[in-house]
Amino acid sequence: MATIHDVTKESWILSTFPEWGTYLNEEIEQEQVAPGSVSMWWLGCTGIWLKSHEGTNILCDLWCGTGKRSHGNGKMKKGHQMMRMSGCENMQPNLRTQPFVIDPFAVKDVDALVVTHIHSDHLDINTAAAVHQNCPEARFIGPQEVVNTWLKWGIPEEKTRIVKPGDRVTVNDIEIVALEAFDRTALVTCEDPDEILKGKMPQDMDLIAVNYLFETSGGNIYHAGDSHYSNLFAKHGNEHKIDVCLGAYGENPRGITDKVTSVDMLRMAESLNAKVVIPVHYDIWANFMADPKEITEIWKFKKDRLNYQFKPFIWQVGGKFTYPNDKDKLEFNFYRGFDDVFTTENDTPFPSFL
């Protein structure tokens, strides 16, 4: 038995982090996806693990980092995209609010790591290292600047694949379609804090961000990354069959537009001709948190008048969603257990304890 003299900060970290250990890793590995369906798990932020009936595993946008850990000098880092878009100077209080539900260094059988764009809460060095070490055959798929970052980190070039809108990549039985992204925050992201963007031509979005459509035998999943609302969602909906769409939802602070709000989440689903819309990203940042049930309530208010052909699904981080099995559910809840109560003799002093 350990004593207080055996406990250190390092022993505490190793014994408690990641908070879920390998629980979710094991669940995903053991999952047998039924024919005609596709399963995915929410890993926090916009991180998704997608698994097909045929056993292909796609990891998208898994982020294993943290937000603010100190008040510092109370000021925003010079040149940060939030400073550029708003002219603010005070520190952004973006604390991470979700536990780590998966151990990246226990991942197995990943066929491809797919990343939507350049921001560090989507493009993560820990995830890249873990996938590279544990899954030597995995492919690394992303837009030009994402791949450039992987190369700087040491990912071999032959494992990478640069995609731009219109490209298709086949990973076993899954077809990955790269589509236009609509992430205006990415356009004002610049590594050089001294560079002035005002009055200049913006960056080429196609080099720094894409959206993805994952076409599987069980259904098609549209991942919008950090895209804001765009009328071009309707173009994507015209050109592709989309069953489930995921969007970066959140409550924008005053003077900031970085996340899709509730009404535009519904507009996105309608434009994409999706059957299910799932908000993500609202879980992770303390200063952008929102109540996703707002989406459900507005959907209820408008669905009959506007004849919505889709339903919202409110997920929980670490939870599984299977299409089409769960397409009519409005909310996720974890398995509560105890379904075997009183199958053996209980042990209490008297029945009155119960």
Side-chain angles (χ1 to χ4, degrees):
M1 178 183 292
T3 71
I4 60 170
H5 306 292
D6 303 313
V7 176
T8 64
K9 182 176 182 179
E10 288 73 23
S11 70
W12 165 65
I13 291 171
L14 290 173
S15 65
T16 61
F17 184 85
E19 292 92 332
W20 281 30
T22 59
Y23 186 96
L24 189 57
N25 299 73
E26 296 164 23
E27 177 183 324
I28 294 171
E29 184 179 356
Q30 295 166 10
E31 178 74 13
Q32 298 293 318
V33 181
S37 67
V38 57
S39 292
M40 56 183 179
W41 291 259
W42 186 15
L43 309 179
C45 199
T46 66
I48 300 296
W49 188 303
L50 188 149
K51 188 171 186 177
S52 71
H53 158 64
E54 293 81 359
T56 297
N57 292 281
I58 304 292
L59 188 56
C60 180
D61 275 14
L62 173 59
W63 173 56
C64 300
T66 64
K68 292 293 183 295
R69 294 163 58 91
S70 166
H71 284 274
N73 65 0
K75 297 297 182 182
M76 186 82 75
K77 180 182 177 182
K78 183 182 177 184
H80 190 277
Q81 54 267 26
M82 297 295 178
M83 174 183 280
R84 291 185 187 275
M85 72 166 61
S86 68
C88 65
E89 294 184 343
N90 292 334
M91 184 183 77
Q92 177 192 185
N94 57 328
L95 298 162
R96 180 178 176 129
T97 59
Q98 275 292 343
F100 290 84
V101 297
I102 196 163
D103 184 344
F105 290 94
V107 301
K108 299 178 182 178
D109 304 321
V110 172
D111 295 290
L113 173 61
V114 179
V115 169
T116 57
H117 67 288
I118 56 173
H119 284 152
S120 59
D121 55 343
H122 303 258
L123 174 59
D124 179 63
I125 192 171
N126 304 292
T127 302
V131 171
H132 174 61
Q133 294 168 20
N134 293 6
C135 311
E137 301 303 316
R139 303 167 71 179
F140 288 69
I141 299 169
Q144 178 73 65
E145 290 304 319
V146 166
V147 171
N148 288 348
T149 301
W150 279 330
L151 296 177
K152 291 176 185 176
W153 290 343
I155 299 298
E157 185 173 5
E158 61 270 18
K159 297 183 74 169
T160 65
R161 168 65 189 270
I162 296 168
V163 291
K164 61 184 183 305
D167 287 348
R168 286 179 169 267
V169 182
T170 301
V171 179
N172 302 335
D173 55 282
I174 296 180
E175 191 87 357
I176 301 174
V177 185
L179 298 166
E180 294 90 350
F182 316 114
D183 185 355
R184 295 187 296 276
T185 305
L187 291 179
V188 293
T189 299
C190 179
E191 288 188 1
D192 184 354
D194 296 317
E195 183 172 347
I196 305 300
L197 302 184
K198 189 181 292 290
K200 295 182 179 179
M201 289 294 292
Q203 301 180 69
D204 185 343
M205 181 80 83
D206 294 349
L207 301 180
I208 59 177
V210 294
N211 294 350
Y212 290 106
L213 182 64
F214 300 100
E215 298 180 342
T216 81
S217 63
N220 296 346
I221 312 298
Y222 183 98
H223 194 303
D226 269 358
S227 286
H228 301 92
Y229 181 78
S230 171
N231 292 327
L232 283 179
F233 280 133
K235 181 174 182 289
H236 292 174
N238 288 347
E239 295 174 346
H240 303 277
K241 178 180 179 292
I242 297 169
D243 296 301
V244 181
C245 63
L246 303 123
Y249 170 61
E251 198 64 57
N252 294 302
R254 179 174 176 270
I256 297 292
T257 299
D258 186 58
K259 299 292 181 283
V260 180
T261 53
S262 51
V263 171
D264 280 343
M265 285 294 298
L266 298 176
R267 293 181 69 202
M268 180 180 78
E270 183 180 33
S271 293
L272 290 170
N273 289 325
K275 298 179 179 66
V276 180
V277 58
I278 305 179
V280 291
H281 212 320
Y282 64 90
D283 64 299
I284 206 74
W285 294 125
N287 56 330
F288 282 89
M289 290 187 74
D291 187 343
K293 289 188 179 180
E294 178 183 331
I295 297 171
T296 306
E297 292 307 308
I298 296 175
W299 173 81
K300 290 177 182 177
F301 182 74
K302 301 173 75 169
K303 66 183 179 67
D304 294 324
R305 182 178 181 185
L306 297 184
N307 193 29
Y308 282 155
Q309 299 300 301
F310 64 89
K311 293 181 178 178
F313 180 76
I314 308 307
W315 221 350
Q316 292 188 47
V317 175
K320 182 180 73 170
F321 176 88
T322 297
Y323 185 85
N325 308 46
D326 299 330
K327 66 181 177 64
D328 293 321
K329 293 182 179 180
L330 295 181
E331 192 165 347
F332 175 87
N333 196 32
F334 287 104
Y335 169 61
R336 299 177 69 198
F338 299 100
D339 54 358
D340 60 344
V341 293
F342 298 112
T343 55
T344 62
E345 185 70 23
N346 64 297
D347 180 22
T348 57
F350 303 100
S352 58
F353 273 78
L354 305 177

